[in-house]
């Protein structure tokens, strides 16, 4: 056994996202080999949508004959910020959709949005020696994406706020940002940035436009950026079931991804921000990764000027997930209604349903273990509350369930879930 | 202007590798647009070898019809350590070539070897609170790869040793490890790992097998790993001009890459190490990147069992670079001999020539600027000596020149170099 640095110990100590990715990768491979029946309702792997798969394969085939393009894509490093030509095309597309005249220099391509967040979160939180302070990332609404939780190279980089829980119907609720708490937190703590995913992973919440504007104004007042994780959101893949348009404005960092379009294997993230930020991302990228990968950019390059990527998102991807979401909700109501106390967050986007079991005899961790033992993978809810120091009943009684797997898996998983939790 | 953390300031402060990648990416794009004549002898972009490009394009085409494979490669996250099936195939291949029974668990796939080194260097250097110490990476022979220099998330993670300079012929020399200094350093400093590239980027040095064994024994005695960067080395792409075989043994971390095969756009690195290390790499990868990209693995997957990848390396790639290297050396001798004092490191591998201009009126930094002004990009030598505190004449009088660009660029570049330095 070697000796490891604090950095290594911090990042190898076992993380929610590590467990998730292990379940997702090894769990699936193991099941495939052993011919086991499982329901992988844990991970965030996007669905294999046949129409999109065909589009991707056709794109691959189309590129086969493009000698120069292939030679360059495989054989050249891009600059650390990404190929200029691609960023120019993307800037035109985004300017139209985000209602702001964005330039190529406002864009930095990264090795996936996870990598972008590693850089961003550690840039706006942690030790600030010049200011003689330790700043934190404020998550204005938890539960929030599990993948952030362990990204700090230092401990304790998050502070977060429990939401207001508003009942919307029988067995349904939404989370809302508690703005008085937020203002209070910003007055009393040293905050480097505000960060949220929209739609929220895991809850499927879509923070309303007015609240987004309010957040941006507050962030700007405090001279800190508002980081918005659009991995599932507008303008692509736009897995949102309410009006979701969000303009870019100075003071905002939007992070996009190709993963939920159906291309997670290409590891492509996109940061849209002021130039002082994108240029720092580029500097960091060169040190961490030399340059981003090229294939993701090549894949979508021709779908920008003609808005094809928006059409795929709105006409194929969004309807697919909407139907899946409604199906899973009906199924849950059918199987749970009679014998379990439960409530589900309104499904306004992303790939997940967020289930709350008040007063249940199992903690969410126990639910995870019980279900895993029967080949049903979900994510235990307690991983989604980084930086929350107050009591909040949802912290230990929720699970995240991926509704986007194939129908048989979802049916099987939900049946077993209903059985296990009512036993 | 926002406030940035120490992490950001450390990694955005302007780095040798950032400048290099900017020159390489933006410099090339700018020149392409403006139709400028330039000689890009700075970067580490692998050559566009026509035979290899054809092989890659054929591979792309071959995969076009493989529906299931394409769907999976584009549409599934691998586990953070990389697809098990691929790692098993790779383990078989590597076991044959590295003379050790390696398992899939000894392998971790990363987003390029740069990303692997970011994780490795920061895992074995920096603050070790448990041991109440600050450890460093020992570079046993500098000049060493520019890309390491800024990878520390903390300052001062390197300590390095000036080599013994042995003259081998007129205008030729090699560097050799100063073992007494090395032993002395290990006794007196707190060292977390020994690290070197083989062949060495920038010098083209190939540390002899006996010295490698000696290094491993010393590292093992001190209970620290020996990290070997094979980016240009054995078993692929094997851009080496002497016998280069290197066995893997416990205590060693070998890092391989697909970039210099000609696939830098696919960002694929490979860590071969003891399981306690690969599992930590996987944990860190999940937090930093979720998972590595899949396309690189897919590209070489069928070239392992049949040793095709070794054949490509030894029969196409190695001869190509050898010829280029000899051509550039002859050209340099021809243009420099008459009027400049110079010496060149023996070219035993990698893509570079390392030129020493003793007693020259320009520093290496001035040479870089003079040449850049005339459209000739090289790398200034002083960037390659991280952690060297002693005086060493080569530190300010060397430049790295990429010999692997097309013939016209190399001829033009070397002519201008001879002009500028003899002015």
């Amino acid at each position: 056994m070697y000796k490891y640095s604090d950095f290594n110990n911090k990042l190898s100590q076992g993380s929610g996202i590590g467990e998730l990715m292990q379940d997702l990768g090894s769990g699936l491979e193991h099941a495939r080999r052993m011919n086991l029946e499982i329901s992988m309702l844990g991970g965030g792997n996007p669905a294999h949508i046949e129409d999109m798969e065909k589009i991707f394969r056709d794109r691959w085939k189309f590129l086969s004959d493009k000698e120069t393009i292939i030679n360059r894509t495989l054989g050249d490093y891009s600059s650390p910020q990404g190929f200029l030509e691609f960023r120019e095309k993307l800037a035109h597309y985004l300017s139209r959709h985000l209602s702001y005249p964005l330039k190529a220099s406002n864009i930095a391509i990264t090795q996936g949005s996870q990598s972008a967040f590693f850089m961003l979160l550690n840039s706006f939180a942690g030790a600030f020696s010049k200011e003689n302070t330790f700043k934190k990332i404020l998550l204005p609404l938890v539960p929030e994406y599990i993948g952030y939780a362990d990204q700090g190279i230092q401990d304790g980089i998050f502070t977060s706020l429990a939401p207001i829980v508003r009942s919307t119907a029988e067995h349904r609720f939404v989370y809302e940002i508690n703005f008085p708490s937020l203002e209070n937190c910003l007055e009393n703590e040293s905050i480097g940035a505000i960060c949220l995913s929209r739609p929220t992973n895991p809850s499927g919440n879509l923070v309303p436009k007015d609240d987004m504007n309010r957040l941006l104004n507050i962030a700007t007042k405090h001279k800190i950026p508002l980081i918005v994780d659009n991995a599932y959101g507008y303008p692509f893949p736009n897995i949102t079931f309410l009006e979701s348009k969000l303009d870019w404005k100075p003071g905002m960092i939007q992070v996009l991804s190709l993963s939920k379009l159906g291309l997670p294997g290409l590891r492509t993230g996109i940061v849209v921000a002021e130039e002082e930020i994108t240029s720092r991302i580029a500097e960091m990228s060169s040190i961490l990764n030399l340059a981003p990968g090229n294939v993701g950019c090549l894949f979508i390059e021709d779908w920008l000027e003609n808005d094809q990527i928006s059409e795929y998102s709105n006409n194929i991807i969004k309807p697919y997930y909407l139907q899946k979401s409604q199906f899973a909700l009906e199924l849950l109501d059918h199987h749970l209604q009679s014998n379990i106390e439960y409530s589900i967050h309104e499904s306004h986007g992303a790939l997940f349903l967020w289930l709350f079991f008040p007063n249940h005899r199992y903690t969410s961790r126990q639910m995870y273990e019980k279900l895993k033992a029967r080949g049903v993978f979900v994510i235990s809810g307690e991983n989604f509350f980084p930086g929350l120091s107050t009591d909040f009943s949802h912290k230990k009684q929720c699970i995240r369930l991926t509704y986007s797997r194939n129908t048989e898996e979802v049916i099987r998983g939900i049946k077993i879930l209903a059985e296990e939790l009512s036993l």
Side-chain angles (χ1 to χ4, degrees), chain A:
Chain A
M1 175 89 173
Y2 297 106
K3 298 270 192 290
Y4 295 93
S5 68
D6 297 350
F7 171 86
N8 184 290
N9 285 321
K10 172 70 178 68
L11 297 178
S12 306
Q13 67 196 356
S15 62
I17 193 69
E19 183 175 85
L20 182 161
M21 293 305 291
Q22 277 299 339
D23 279 358
L24 184 58
S26 315
L28 272 184
E29 281 202 355
H30 179 69
R32 192 178 284 140
R33 280 170 186 229
M34 308 292 286
N35 268 321
L36 294 182
E37 203 180 6
I38 63 161
S39 296
M40 177 47 72
L41 310 184
N45 207 100
H48 285 269
I49 305 175
E50 278 180 31
D51 289 348
M52 288 308 299
E53 289 187 317
K54 175 145 189 351
I55 287 164
F56 297 143
R57 288 198 311 270
D58 287 348
R59 177 76 182 152
W60 185 288
K61 223 168 255 180
F62 170 82
L63 291 165
S64 303
D65 299 321
K66 304 284 172 285
E67 289 203 9
T68 318
I69 293 175
I70 293 286
N71 290 348
R72 189 181 178 203
T73 301
L74 301 178
D76 282 347
Y77 291 100
S78 74
S79 69
Q81 200 166 337
F83 281 122
L84 179 59
E85 212 176 299
F86 173 74
R87 285 185 290 120
E88 282 173 348
K89 288 182 189 174
L90 188 55
H92 282 295
Y93 168 87
L94 290 175
S95 296
R96 287 199 305 282
H97 290 271
L98 307 185
S99 312
Y100 194 92
L102 292 157
K103 290 181 290 187
S105 55
N106 292 118
I107 294 170
I109 308 301
T110 65
Q111 302 255 57
S113 61
Q114 185 78 9
S115 171
F117 274 92
F118 176 75
M119 294 188 267
L120 287 169
L121 298 176
N122 286 300
S123 291
F124 292 108
F128 284 58
S129 299
K130 276 191 217 161
E131 287 78 26
N132 200 20
T133 182
F134 185 98
K135 288 186 189 281
K136 295 183 178 187
I137 302 290
L138 171 57
L139 306 175
L141 190 163
V142 284
E144 182 53 276
Y145 173 46
I146 190 173
Y148 305 151
D150 296 287
Q151 284 203 307
I153 56 168
Q154 293 175 284
D155 280 321
I157 68 161
F158 294 103
T159 191
S160 62
L161 303 173
I164 296 162
V165 182
R166 187 163 61 80
S167 177
T168 52
E170 206 191 348
H171 301 299
R172 293 291 185 279
F173 68 97
V174 290
Y175 291 134
E176 292 174 353
I177 294 174
N178 186 332
F179 276 98
S181 288
L182 181 94
E183 302 258 21
N184 188 45
C185 173
L186 281 161
E187 293 305 328
N188 293 302
E189 294 199 54
S190 184
I191 301 296
I194 299 174
C195 174
L196 78 168
S197 58
R198 183 178 188 269
T200 310
N201 171 358
S203 63
N205 191 13
L206 192 77
V207 172
K209 208 171 167 178
D210 286 351
D211 284 3
M212 293 304 293
N213 286 330
R214 202 166 157 189
L215 279 178
L216 180 60
N217 289 337
I218 292 170
T220 303
K221 196 180 89 186
H222 288 269
K223 299 194 174 77
I224 58 176
L226 172 65
I227 307 173
V228 186
D229 185 346
N230 288 346
Y232 300 87
Y234 181 84
F236 56 78
N238 208 11
I239 305 172
T240 57
F241 314 137
L242 296 178
E243 167 58 37
S244 59
K245 185 172 189 301
L246 182 69
D247 295 342
W248 186 87
K249 289 174 190 162
M252 202 184 256
I253 303 172
Q254 290 198 18
V255 183
L256 286 67
S257 165
L258 302 192
S259 294
K260 311 310 174 186
L261 274 177
L263 299 171
L266 301 184
R267 314 304 308 118
T268 308
I270 298 161
V271 176
V272 186
E274 287 152 287
E275 285 177 30
E276 73 168 78
I277 291 169
T278 51
S279 66
R280 280 168 183 258
I281 293 280
E283 279 281 353
M284 288 189 283
S285 281
S286 69
I287 292 171
L288 268 69
N289 297 313
L290 288 185
N294 296 337
V295 181
C297 302
L298 176 64
F299 251 73
I300 68 160
E301 189 160 26
D302 295 339
W303 300 339
L304 296 169
E305 198 187 331
N306 57 13
D307 270 353
Q308 198 72 59
I309 197 168
S310 292
E311 284 170 35
Y312 293 150
S313 298
N314 295 325
N315 301 334
I316 300 176
I317 297 171
K318 181 200 290 246
Y320 177 92
Y321 284 106
L322 178 58
Q323 183 270 327
K324 286 268 182 189
S325 161
Q326 288 171 340
F327 175 76
L329 282 169
E330 282 164 28
L331 212 61
L332 281 163
D333 283 333
H334 176 75
H335 286 285
L336 294 175
Q337 204 128 34
S338 55
N339 53 7
I340 309 175
E341 197 181 342
Y342 75 97
S343 192
I344 307 175
H345 194 288
E346 292 284 354
S347 174
H348 292 155
L351 315 186
F352 316 104
L353 297 178
W354 178 251
L355 282 59
F356 173 45
F357 298 98
N359 311 311
H360 201 283
R361 67 191 180 290
Y362 294 150
T363 64
S364 50
R365 185 78 207 172
Q366 289 168 323
M367 294 177 193
Y368 165 79
E369 297 291 353
K370 294 268 172 203
L371 293 171
K372 187 174 176 176
R374 294 201 52 194
V376 178
F377 293 84
V378 300
I379 312 273
S380 176
E382 84 273 7
N383 293 307
F384 296 88
F385 296 85
L388 186 67
S389 49
T390 55
D391 265 349
F392 178 41
S393 61
H394 289 221
K395 209 168 161 177
K396 298 216 159 141
Q397 309 235 262
C398 288
I399 58 173
R400 188 190 85 171
L401 181 152
T402 306
Y403 66 71
S404 56
R405 303 290 296 184
N406 72 55
T407 309
E408 294 68 36
E409 264 186 273
V410 172
I411 293 176
R412 180 180 169 276
I414 287 176
K415 273 189 188 157
I416 291 177
L417 180 141
E419 277 171 40
E420 283 296 321
L421 300 193
S422 63
L423 276 180

